[in-house]
Amino acid sequence: MPEHHFWIASELPPSRLEHAELEQGFNAHMPRRIAGVEARANRETPGRQGTHRGEKSKWLARALKCETQGYLADSRIIRRSNLAELRRKHASRASRRILPLRVIQNVKKFASHNYFHASSCGLAILSRGVYCVSELAGCSRSPVMSRGHQLRALMRGRWRNDEMKLRNLIFGIAGALACLAPVSGAQGTSPFERIYYNAKIFTAEPEHPYAEAVAIRGDKIVAVGNRGEVTASVGAGAENIDLHGRTMLPGLIDSHIHAIDGGVSLNSADVSDRQLSVAELVAFAGEAKKSGKGMRGNILLISGIPLAIWSKTDELNAQLNAGAYEKQAVFLQGSDGHTGWANRALRLRAGVTKDFISHLSEAERKYYGLATDLEPNGFAVDAGLEKVQAILPKPSRQELLAAGRSAVHYLNSLGITAWLDPLADEPILTAYRDLSEHGELTAHVAAFTEVKLQTDANPLIAAQALLKKFKDVPNLTVPGVKIFADGVVEYPSQSAAMTAPYKNTGKYGDLLFEPSRFAKMVTAADKQGLIVHIHAIGDKAVTESLNGIEAARKANGNSGLPHTITHLQFVIPSDIPRFKKLGVIAAYQLLWASANPDAIDLVKPYIDPAVFIWQYPARSMLNAGATISGASDWFVSSPNVFLAIYQAETRKGPEGVLNADECMPREAMLFAYTRNSARAMNQLEKIGSIAPGKQADFVVVDRDVLTIPVEELRDTKILRTILGGKTIFESKP
């Protein structure tokens, strides 16, 4: 719909009618349109034309920003807050009418009554009536304009009766507002005001964590408290929304999530980490090939494979190397994002052969699943995947945009209004920019680019270049860099860096950087204002990550930057208090803190018992004063916040409870998924809690998540997600 404007007549002197007074947002045709109104006023009301040029000013229309709710009085729109004063001023002037206005939301419905065209309409209100301005809106053929004699009479003040005057006035104003209403909010010309009340509000503000009502103006929060307190902060025209005792939380924030990749998985063949037998997996692959959903070029790609499958490579080779798959390349991507399996057809195409393996060093061979004769079985981890991944067709720009749309909608439906994307290369950043340019990035995104100390001579140069390239994208920031300290701990990968050797191999896993070089990089990044976000699974990786951050703090002082370590599957007790001391955020995926096969069967038999008991030690870190943020690592695991909070509180699984001493309090987890995650994004001053001055980002849920029994927490439903005061998701009844 084209832009439209509401014009109000003015009897101000000429000095107040200069074109320079026009609001900045109005288009270039305004001066010409004002002249058109003036000329028409002179033609229609010859008796009103005086000899003094200033006399014409009373017929000039002045461009004003239109209130979506207001009152018409003396041919002007005023704020409701001024209504009482206006009534007193004109109490003795019975001829002056004060009429309430309401915006007609359904333009088409109003247009069906043939008062104005829905496509465009304009209105000029002169000092004695209503006029539809054809130069402004192109509505010269509307039925209103066809009643020219009524309009002329209106301009001359010759009304047949008050009923006609009132009817035409209301029709004209309603028609103009109907066309104008969608634009005025977008232009920000008149910030709306709204009160949410009768709610159980968790504010995520430690000093006053609970409230009953919140008031907003435009996209900002203006007051939080009880209904009386917040009502006093807005005008009488504020919209009031009764939440009927529902629970309202700040918009939820995920501090480690691969959103675009998650969207790719939504749009492709993903088994979502379901525990499948090899036979069930083969059947799933057959359907994915038939439907085309699993085809990436001419390669069949299935993602989200449960890690337990990797111990069944003999079955995989028997099922996916013969028959229909003898020449069909197949790649199975592990749910952890670090592992995968390629069938023989794909291995041959990628050059992962026995001859290739025989020329590798022993250190390089450990990334491949091998038979005793060095024949690859298809399994690979981390660096072992590089040759296969190099020949996988990359998603196109349009496919990444489609994935972004799917991801944003899905995450908004889960109440998530912001996230930290820790592995954003240029194509992913471009997808975010494309979403933003289409007005579809309904979230705040902090994207981190990867640095590789093993291969990058000057690792921060590329990061700074991307930061500069994408710095002006609305709702997107590029505030730091991501680095991998190690891999994953589960058998057979065992690439996480540990202080004690794996029992089955005697090896310690892989620290993916040289500590002194890492410390220099962190120090340089900190000095340049870049946050460092570190993947660390093993306890040795955590220790060396903390050492690097400590070196930066000593060299630069406390910059206040929220350097972050994520995953933290194993942390030695002596490192726990260092998080608070160094101001390091612990970004935990506590959905993983489950007594399930991944944490028990694939880990416990292979690592030192003294290390195993410190698996995901979140409560110990909380007690030591660490700042814990909530994260999912989606596409790796579900981004459903309430599933994660349930798991953090219970640590239950099919094999019992994973160290009950580390169960987290529920309120602490709500802080983790709100203000603490905002801190990890370095945006706490803007989002993360319900407080005056912050962005009006909220989520309304169907139950009191602070008091319900823990078993009911997993079934929590999102009723409404609000970003900047606008509803971006609402559940269907």
Side-chain angles (χ1 to χ4, degrees), residues 24-43:
Q24 182 178 359
F26 291 91
N27 62 47
H29 299 292
M30 280 297 169
R32 186 169 69 243
R33 289 174 178 175
I34 286 180
V37 174
E38 179 185 16
R40 187 175 292 276
N42 288 336
R43 290 198 304 271

Short mmCIF file of all heavy atoms in Angstrom, two decimals, residues 24-43:
data_model
loop_
_atom_site.label_atom_id
_atom_site.label_comp_id
_atom_site.label_asym_id
_atom_site.label_seq_id
_atom_site.Cartn_x
_atom_site.Cartn_y
_atom_site.Cartn_z
N GLN A 24 9.89 15.24 8.52
CA GLN A 24 10.91 14.70 7.64
C GLN A 24 10.43 13.51 6.83
O GLN A 24 10.83 13.30 5.69
CB GLN A 24 12.13 14.29 8.48
CG GLN A 24 13.29 13.77 7.65
CD GLN A 24 14.47 13.42 8.52
OE1 GLN A 24 14.43 13.58 9.73
NE2 GLN A 24 15.52 12.95 7.91
N GLY A 25 9.56 12.69 7.43
CA GLY A 25 9.16 11.46 6.75
C GLY A 25 8.20 11.65 5.59
O GLY A 25 7.93 10.70 4.87
N PHE A 26 7.64 12.84 5.37
CA PHE A 26 6.68 13.03 4.29
C PHE A 26 7.38 13.15 2.95
O PHE A 26 8.50 13.63 2.86
CB PHE A 26 5.81 14.25 4.57
CG PHE A 26 4.88 14.04 5.73
CD1 PHE A 26 5.30 14.38 7.01
CD2 PHE A 26 3.64 13.48 5.56
CE1 PHE A 26 4.47 14.17 8.09
CE2 PHE A 26 2.82 13.28 6.64
CZ PHE A 26 3.22 13.62 7.91
N ASN A 27 6.65 12.73 1.91
CA ASN A 27 7.33 12.65 0.61
C ASN A 27 7.43 14.00 -0.10
O ASN A 27 6.91 15.02 0.36
CB ASN A 27 6.61 11.63 -0.29
CG ASN A 27 5.17 12.04 -0.55
OD1 ASN A 27 4.90 13.18 -0.88
ND2 ASN A 27 4.25 11.09 -0.40
N ALA A 28 8.10 13.97 -1.22
CA ALA A 28 8.47 15.21 -1.90
C ALA A 28 7.27 15.95 -2.49
O ALA A 28 7.40 17.10 -2.90
CB ALA A 28 9.49 14.91 -2.99
N HIS A 29 6.12 15.30 -2.56
CA HIS A 29 4.96 15.94 -3.18
C HIS A 29 4.20 16.84 -2.22
O HIS A 29 3.24 17.48 -2.61
CB HIS A 29 4.01 14.88 -3.74
CG HIS A 29 4.63 14.04 -4.80
ND1 HIS A 29 4.98 14.54 -6.03
CD2 HIS A 29 4.97 12.73 -4.80
CE1 HIS A 29 5.51 13.57 -6.76
NE2 HIS A 29 5.52 12.46 -6.03
N MET A 30 4.61 16.87 -0.98
CA MET A 30 3.85 17.62 0.01
C MET A 30 3.64 19.09 -0.34
O MET A 30 2.53 19.59 -0.30
CB MET A 30 4.52 17.51 1.38
CG MET A 30 4.20 16.22 2.08
SD MET A 30 2.44 16.10 2.41
CE MET A 30 2.39 14.39 2.91
N PRO A 31 4.69 19.84 -0.69
CA PRO A 31 4.47 21.26 -0.98
C PRO A 31 3.46 21.47 -2.11
O PRO A 31 2.60 22.34 -2.04
CB PRO A 31 5.86 21.76 -1.37
CG PRO A 31 6.79 20.82 -0.67
CD PRO A 31 6.12 19.50 -0.72
N ARG A 32 3.56 20.64 -3.16
CA ARG A 32 2.64 20.78 -4.28
C ARG A 32 1.21 20.47 -3.84
O ARG A 32 0.25 21.11 -4.27
CB ARG A 32 3.07 19.85 -5.41
CG ARG A 32 2.25 20.05 -6.68
CD ARG A 32 2.84 19.34 -7.88
NE ARG A 32 2.74 17.90 -7.76
CZ ARG A 32 3.79 17.09 -7.69
NH1 ARG A 32 5.00 17.59 -7.71
NH2 ARG A 32 3.63 15.79 -7.60
N ARG A 33 1.08 19.49 -2.95
CA ARG A 33 -0.26 19.12 -2.50
C ARG A 33 -0.87 20.21 -1.61
O ARG A 33 -2.06 20.47 -1.65
CB ARG A 33 -0.20 17.79 -1.77
CG ARG A 33 0.07 16.65 -2.75
CD ARG A 33 0.26 15.35 -2.04
NE ARG A 33 0.47 14.27 -3.01
CZ ARG A 33 0.78 13.03 -2.69
NH1 ARG A 33 0.92 12.71 -1.42
NH2 ARG A 33 0.94 12.11 -3.61
N ILE A 34 -0.03 20.82 -0.80
CA ILE A 34 -0.53 21.93 0.01
C ILE A 34 -1.05 23.04 -0.91
O ILE A 34 -2.11 23.62 -0.70
CB ILE A 34 0.56 22.46 0.95
CG1 ILE A 34 0.76 21.46 2.08
CG2 ILE A 34 0.19 23.82 1.51
CD1 ILE A 34 1.81 21.88 3.07
N ALA A 35 -0.28 23.34 -1.96
CA ALA A 35 -0.70 24.37 -2.90
C ALA A 35 -2.02 23.98 -3.57
O ALA A 35 -2.89 24.82 -3.81
CB ALA A 35 0.39 24.59 -3.95
N GLY A 36 -2.15 22.66 -3.86
CA GLY A 36 -3.39 22.20 -4.47
C GLY A 36 -4.58 22.39 -3.58
O GLY A 36 -5.66 22.78 -4.01
N VAL A 37 -4.40 22.13 -2.30
CA VAL A 37 -5.49 22.31 -1.35
C VAL A 37 -5.86 23.79 -1.25
O VAL A 37 -7.03 24.17 -1.21
CB VAL A 37 -5.11 21.76 0.03
CG1 VAL A 37 -6.18 22.09 1.05
CG2 VAL A 37 -4.93 20.26 -0.06
N GLU A 38 -4.82 24.64 -1.22
CA GLU A 38 -5.06 26.08 -1.13
C GLU A 38 -5.86 26.57 -2.33
O GLU A 38 -6.84 27.31 -2.20
CB GLU A 38 -3.74 26.83 -1.05
CG GLU A 38 -3.91 28.34 -0.98
CD GLU A 38 -2.58 29.06 -1.01
OE1 GLU A 38 -1.59 28.43 -1.39
OE2 GLU A 38 -2.56 30.24 -0.67
N ALA A 39 -5.43 26.13 -3.53
CA ALA A 39 -6.12 26.56 -4.74
C ALA A 39 -7.57 26.09 -4.75
O ALA A 39 -8.49 26.84 -5.10
CB ALA A 39 -5.39 26.04 -5.98
N ARG A 40 -7.78 24.86 -4.35
CA ARG A 40 -9.14 24.33 -4.33
C ARG A 40 -9.98 25.07 -3.30
O ARG A 40 -11.16 25.36 -3.52
CB ARG A 40 -9.13 22.83 -4.04
CG ARG A 40 -10.51 22.20 -4.19
CD ARG A 40 -10.42 20.69 -4.01
NE ARG A 40 -9.69 20.07 -5.10
CZ ARG A 40 -10.24 19.74 -6.26
NH1 ARG A 40 -11.51 19.99 -6.50
NH2 ARG A 40 -9.52 19.16 -7.20
N ALA A 41 -9.38 25.40 -2.17
CA ALA A 41 -10.12 26.14 -1.16
C ALA A 41 -10.57 27.49 -1.70
O ALA A 41 -11.68 27.95 -1.46
CB ALA A 41 -9.25 26.33 0.07
N ASN A 42 -9.68 28.14 -2.46
CA ASN A 42 -10.04 29.44 -3.04
C ASN A 42 -11.17 29.30 -4.05
O ASN A 42 -12.08 30.13 -4.11
CB ASN A 42 -8.82 30.07 -3.70
CG ASN A 42 -7.82 30.56 -2.69
OD1 ASN A 42 -8.17 30.84 -1.54
ND2 ASN A 42 -6.55 30.68 -3.10
N ARG A 43 -11.11 28.22 -4.85
CA ARG A 43 -12.16 28.03 -5.86
C ARG A 43 -13.50 27.72 -5.23
O ARG A 43 -14.54 28.20 -5.64
CB ARG A 43 -11.76 26.89 -6.81
CG ARG A 43 -10.60 27.22 -7.73
CD ARG A 43 -10.56 26.24 -8.91
NE ARG A 43 -10.48 24.86 -8.47
CZ ARG A 43 -9.32 24.23 -8.24
NH1 ARG A 43 -8.17 24.89 -8.37
NH2 ARG A 43 -9.32 22.98 -7.86
#
